[in-house]
Amino acid sequence: MERSIKIVDEYLSALENRFNSGLIAEVAERAIECTRMRKELLGREVVLLVPSNKNLSPADTTGDDYDLIPEVAKRFFKVRDVIRYDIEAGPDDVDGELIFDFVVNASKNEQVLQAHLSLPSDRTIYFIIRNPFDAKFFPGRSVVITHSTKPISVYKSFQHLLGRCSS
C-alpha cells in the first residue's frame, strides 16, 4: 500500500512540476517587450555585460540569477566574452560586434546610467532585467524588457529575438 501511495505522489508531483514550469515559461514569454530591434546584428559574436552576483539588499535573492545568464546565452549565440560589472558602478567601456548589456536599476544611479548609455548604441542591445522603468532612459535604442531576472525570462527573451517565441 505504501509503495502505491508513493508512486501516485511521485506522479502527481511530476504533473504539478510540469504544469508550473509550463505556466512560468508562458508568463515569461508573454512578458517580453522589445523596441527598435536590429535583427541583422543577431548573427554576430556577442559580448555579454553581466551584473556581478551581488544582491541589492539582505532580502534580495536575484544575484545568483545573473550567474546563469552566460550559460543561457551560449545556447543561442556565439559568446566571445563575458564581462562582469559592479551594479553600483556600471559597466566599463567595451568593444564588440554585438553587445548584450544586462541592465539592473540603472535609473537609480546617474553614474551607472551614464556608463550604460556610453556603450555604442548601434551595436548594443539593452536587456532591462530588473526594473522595467529603466527602459525609458534608453530612447531610440534596442531594448528588451524581461520584467524578471530569472533565467527562464532571459531564455525566452533570446528565443523571442531569434523569432522562436509565439508572442
Side-chain angles (χ1 to χ4, degrees), residues 2 11 17 38 41 59 63 72-73 103 132 141 159 162:
E2 279 185 41
Y11 177 73
N17 287 339
R38 297 182 58 209
L41 292 175
V72 174
V103 179
R141 297 176 186 234
Q159 278 189 322
L162 296 172

Side-chain angles (χ1 to χ4, degrees), residues 31-45:
I32 297 165
E33 297 177 52
C34 295
T35 61
R36 299 195 182 268
M37 222 30 65
R38 297 182 58 209
K39 298 275 186 186
E40 71 272 8
L41 292 175
L42 295 179
R44 300 179 180 179
E45 285 186 328

Side-chain angles (χ1 to χ4, degrees), residues 21-34 37 39 42 69 71-77 100 102 125 127 144-146 150-167:
S21 65
L23 177 63
I24 291 168
E26 183 180 337
V27 169
E29 182 178 323
R30 290 178 183 239
I32 297 165
E33 297 177 52
C34 295
M37 222 30 65
K39 298 275 186 186
L42 295 179
I69 291 172
E71 182 182 325
V72 174
K74 289 174 184 175
R75 293 174 179 240
F76 295 94
F77 301 97
F100 287 175
F102 291 85
I125 298 177
F127 288 80
V144 176
I145 304 169
T146 64
K150 296 301 175 200
I152 188 66
S153 296
V154 174
Y155 182 91
K156 288 296 182 179
S157 69
F158 291 153
Q159 278 189 322
H160 188 84
L161 283 178
L162 296 172
R164 297 178 189 164
C165 269
S166 58
S167 61

